[in-house]
Amino acid sequence: AQSVAQPEDQVNVAEGNPLTVKCTYSVSGNPYLFWYVQYPNRGLQFLLKYITGDNLVKGSYGFEAEFNKSQTSFHLKKPSALVSDSALYFCAVTHRGGFKTIFGAGTRLFVKA
Amino acid sequence: DTEVTQTPKHLVMGMTNKKSLKCEQHMGHRAMYWYKQKAKKPPELMFVYSYEKLSINESVPSRFSPECPNSSLLNLHLHALQPEDSALYLCASSQVGEIGRRETQYFGPGTRLLVL
């Protein structure tokens, strides 16, 4: 069965500190990997994606993610967290050329001033 | 323009009512999606339209009826809903054609639906 796991329901970090939100996946083939962010009462916003090539992907708002094929992980990172980064983050996978996206359960990020 | 708009923002309906949700995008995307999202849960795919034709139906009950009248517009018609259908309904769109671009979805802000 294909799945995406976000092992942490919640991540707490102080403003200015680095943050990591974890994601592991179990899918066949070569999937495309995504991070989306959702602010309260809003839709999802695309942050970044990994298709192929460099394992370190840079995205919006200073976020980046590292694809690790051997560990089947795609962790989201930011060197210095902002209070405004507090939101719900979803990791997702889609098959090449496909429409169907599998979302992880989501991780709520709290950044404290 | 990278915006997907949804109307209404909020909707309260009784179990015997008929209502419709509307989604619009002007990015030239030819794939459009409906998702249902319960509080603190990930979005669940309901329907996908590709080139205005229904491509995926995730075994959604018939009380939800999608419609794609043109390449910019997607509707979700609601009839005889149950209280457990209360949720945030999200619309999304994506390109079709170039692999590596089609998989990125752009979401609207959603319609928060309450069924009484």
Side-chain angles (χ1 to χ4, degrees), chain A residues 48-67:
Chain A
L48 51 80
K49 68 181 178 185
Y50 173 81
I51 303 294
T52 187
D54 194 349
N55 289 343
L56 186 64
V57 180
K58 293 191 183 297
S60 307
Y61 313 120
F63 284 93
E64 58 189 28
E66 187 168 9
F67 172 67

Side-chain angles (χ1 to χ4, degrees), chain A residues 7-22:
Chain A
E8 302 151 316
D9 289 337
Q10 184 171 310
V11 170
N12 297 310
V13 64
E15 188 174 35
N17 283 1
L19 70 87
T20 298
V21 183
K22 294 179 181 177

Side-chain angles (χ1 to χ4, degrees), chain B residues 11 21 26 50 58 60 65 69 76 80 90-91 101 110 116:
Chain B
L11 180 62
L21 309 184
H26 296 286
S50 175
E58 290 288 283
V60 179
S65 175
L76 186 63
L90 295 166
C91 173
R101 295 177 72 86
L116 300 177

